[in-house]
Amino acid sequence: QVQLVESGGGLVQTGGSLRLSCAASGRTFSSYAMGWFRQAPGKEREFVGQISGSGSSTYYEDYVKGRFTISRDNAKNTVYLQMNSPKPEDTAVYYCAAARTFTAVRPYEYDYWGQGTQVTVSS
């Protein structure tokens, strides 16, 4: 069982930066690939990117590639989403999630979810 708690959301201006954190419970954190998703009002939850259990591999969707960076600290059981140069269209509730495989990109492929943290980007 893994419990995930996101933090760090808030209001940020276009061109600024924001770092989200996701703290995990449990002693098997490094065995999980960690993904970030987001959901805007009236839209489906969409995949942002993910990081492998060791942290050696990452993958990003095109709409955040080059602006967002995912990292993890397995000693602290924490994964991060660094958001640089955010845009108003990045406004959403952001979720972290844990999966057994690095290739997981669909919500149903993830076993555990956090409660989400709101990110609002103002222009």
Side-chain angles (χ1 to χ4, degrees):
Q1 188 80 7
V2 177
Q3 292 183 327
L4 304 173
V5 179
E6 299 97 336
S7 62
L11 178 65
V12 60
Q13 290 188 328
T14 301
S17 63
L18 193 69
R19 189 177 79 161
L20 307 183
S21 300
C22 172
S25 65
R27 292 175 289 180
T28 60
F29 178 67
S30 61
S31 68
Y32 288 90
M34 296 298 297
W36 285 94
F37 289 77
R38 66 188 185 185
Q39 188 166 19
K43 295 188 177 181
E44 293 187 353
R45 190 168 299 190
E46 66 177 7
F47 179 67
V48 172
Q50 63 183 177
I51 187 167
S52 62
S54 67
S56 61
S57 299
T58 54
Y59 173 81
Y60 303 94
E61 289 290 11
D62 286 345
Y63 37 79
V64 302
K65 193 175 295 182
R67 300 188 298 119
F68 291 8
T69 301
I70 300 173
S71 61
R72 68 190 295 162
D73 185 338
N74 285 341
K76 295 182 178 180
N77 277 16
T78 302
V79 63
Y80 305 96
L81 177 65
Q82 179 69 42
M83 305 172 62
N84 294 332
S85 300
K87 305 174 183 179
E89 51 263 43
D90 294 322
T91 294
V93 176
Y94 282 73
Y95 300 88
C96 66
R100 284 292 189 183
T101 60
F102 178 61
T103 56
V105 297
R106 304 291 185 184
Y108 68 82
E109 296 178 291
Y110 283 77
D111 300 314
Y112 303 102
W113 291 83
Q115 83 289 350
T117 186
Q118 175 70 47
V119 173
T120 303
V121 184
S122 64
S123 58

